[in-house]
Amino acid sequence: MKKTVALVASATAVAFAAPVAAQNVNPVVHELTGEVDGVCTLADSTPQPVQIDFGTLSGVDVGSQTPEQANGLTIICNDPDGGTLSISSANNGVLRRDGTNGGANNEVGYSFRTTGTITIPTGNLATQVNRTFNASSAYINGQSITLRFAANGVRAPSPAGNGGTISTVFAGTYSDTVTVAVTAN
């Protein structure tokens, strides 16, 4: 009987080994892809266009400015090369009297600056301002900046020396259009 048991055990071992060695393995490869669109934009909760009113400029002395008027924006950019914030003025950084091309007594200066993630010191928009920023998860999630504007005063002492005042510009409505944009690098 011992011989029979040995033969059965040997036959069982061979029966299991043959199918494993005879299996034909053909791997199945899956290549997964997806695409994420580029987003480089500004978010602003203020209705467009943003209205900034300096009020009556003839009540502000020459050499002084109106209180700052501000508008907050959020820069969102997922470009791996970062982006560029651009700020430009249609009138090269001055308020022009409506219906004119500016010039003597038809322009009022104003200052501009930003605070927040991208800081631009106080200056003017005589030329377009560009600031680049590097890619980061912070910009993917959104970074805040605040635009700040203040108009120059136009009230001056009367040359008659009687304690009265004059305006250094013609009466009217003065305006400019400032455009802020973000582009991917």
Side-chain angles (χ1 to χ4, degrees):
M1 251 229 192
K2 287 185 180 178
K3 288 184 182 179
T4 307
V5 172
L7 289 175
V8 171
S10 179
T12 305
V14 171
F16 287 118
V20 171
Q23 287 181 353
N24 186 4
V25 178
N26 291 324
V28 176
V29 178
H30 295 82
E31 291 184 9
L32 308 176
T33 63
E35 188 169 327
V36 175
D37 290 336
V39 176
C40 223
T41 189
L42 292 168
D44 188 356
S45 60
T46 307
Q48 300 296 308
V50 177
Q51 299 295 320
I52 294 181
D53 185 356
F54 294 115
T56 305
L57 301 176
S58 56
V60 180
D61 291 334
V62 170
S64 297
Q65 287 191 309
T66 63
E68 277 188 336
Q69 301 294 315
N71 183 54
L73 302 171
T74 301
I75 300 171
I76 301 167
C77 189
N78 69 350
D79 190 283
D81 295 323
T84 300
L85 173 71
S86 301
I87 305 165
S88 62
S89 159
N91 296 340
N92 300 318
V94 296
L95 302 171
R96 288 186 183 160
R97 187 167 63 90
D98 291 354
T100 72
N101 292 324
N105 306 107
N106 287 301
E107 294 180 352
V108 176
Y110 65 89
S111 64
F112 161 80
R113 69 186 182 108
T114 67
T115 55
T117 303
I118 298 176
T119 302
I120 299 171
T122 301
N124 64 39
L125 292 171
T127 59
Q128 181 171 304
V129 175
N130 296 311
R131 292 293 186 272
T132 59
F133 54 89
N134 293 325
S136 73
S137 59
Y139 283 103
I140 291 173
N141 295 323
Q143 290 295 292
S144 297
I145 65 165
T146 301
L147 306 175
R148 300 178 180 278
F149 302 92
N152 298 340
V154 298
R155 181 175 61 191
S158 171
N162 60 3
T165 60
I166 62 164
S167 172
T168 59
V169 295
F170 291 115
T173 300
Y174 287 73
S175 62
D176 189 15
T177 299
V178 174
T179 302
V180 183
V182 172
T183 55
N185 288 341

